[in-house]
Amino acid sequence: MSGRNTALTPPADATAPVRHPDAPAPGELLGAHYERCFGCGDGQPHGLHLEARAGEGVRVTAEFTVKAAHQGAPGLAHGGLLATALDETLGSLNWLLRVIAVTGRLETDFVRPVPVDTVLYLEAEVTAVAGRKIYCSAVGRIGGPRGPVALRADALFIEVKVDHFIDNGRPEEIRAAMADPDQVRRARAFEVNP
């Protein structure tokens, strides 16, 4: 991993990730963790509407279609938007561990441009865990799981308590999320956001 940030390299005493016994089954659609999330929520008209599925082990796959509203250069996806897709996919891994975690660091390599109307297929996996630190990586491919690589990422997520969101989020959204009678949706609302 020469040239990579050492903060993204697991320490020697890191352990292999362990899928939580109550994690969604492989192939199961994870659904939006929060309706207004730009990455996966249905309540964002110009959001990614990314759909993630549980994979084997501590892996997820996800897809989204690049829309005209997602452009940076004419006819091409904005790089920050692509980084958001990677972050959303990587954050979905925490649902398989059943922990609340936030992005601590995200390093992205942009390999090739991604045109508007492209379906971007993403695969992510947790590679190691060390205390509250969760190390993971992802790759994005154009058109499907065997398509050309468009982007890669390595990330570090940090496990936090729900108080992180309660203490820092806008009160009206926090109250609405906490009032949701669906326990799973209520927990998922706090799983990914920084």
Side-chain angles (χ1 to χ4, degrees), residues 12 20-21 29 37 43 58 60 65 86 98 100 113 129 137 139-140 152 171 179:
H20 193 279
L29 185 65
C37 173
V58 189
V60 298
T65 301
L86 285 165
R98 287 295 176 118
I100 299 171
V129 176
S137 62
V139 64
R152 291 185 185 95

Side-chain angles (χ1 to χ4, degrees), residues 2-3 13 18-19 28 61 65 74 76-77 82 86 97 102 107 118 143 152 165 179 184 191 194:
S2 105
D13 63 348
V18 177
R19 183 189 187 99
E28 187 175 325
T61 60
T65 301
L76 298 173
L82 296 173
L86 285 165
L97 298 172
V102 297
E107 185 171 303
T118 295
R152 291 185 185 95
F165 302 96
V184 172
E191 77 173 351

Side-chain angles (χ1 to χ4, degrees), residues 44-139:
Q44 290 290 346
H46 297 298
L48 302 183
H49 303 145
L50 186 135
E51 292 187 349
R53 292 188 179 279
E56 297 291 332
V58 189
R59 297 174 183 211
V60 298
T61 60
E63 290 187 7
F64 86 96
T65 301
V66 177
K67 305 288 187 189
H70 302 150
Q71 292 179 84
L76 298 173
H78 189 285
L81 180 117
L82 296 173
T84 300
L86 285 165
D87 186 47
E88 185 69 30
T89 303
L90 289 158
S92 296
L93 290 164
N94 297 314
W95 190 240
L96 302 181
L97 298 172
R98 287 295 176 118
V99 298
I100 299 171
V102 297
T103 310
R105 183 173 211 86
L106 175 66
E107 185 171 303
T108 305
D109 294 319
F110 299 96
V111 178
R112 67 174 19 105
V114 179
V116 169
D117 296 327
T118 295
V119 173
L120 193 64
Y121 179 85
L122 302 119
E123 298 173 299
E125 69 176 322
V126 175
T127 57
V129 176
R132 293 176 43 227
K133 295 181 177 182
I134 302 163
Y135 297 85
C136 42
S137 62
V139 64

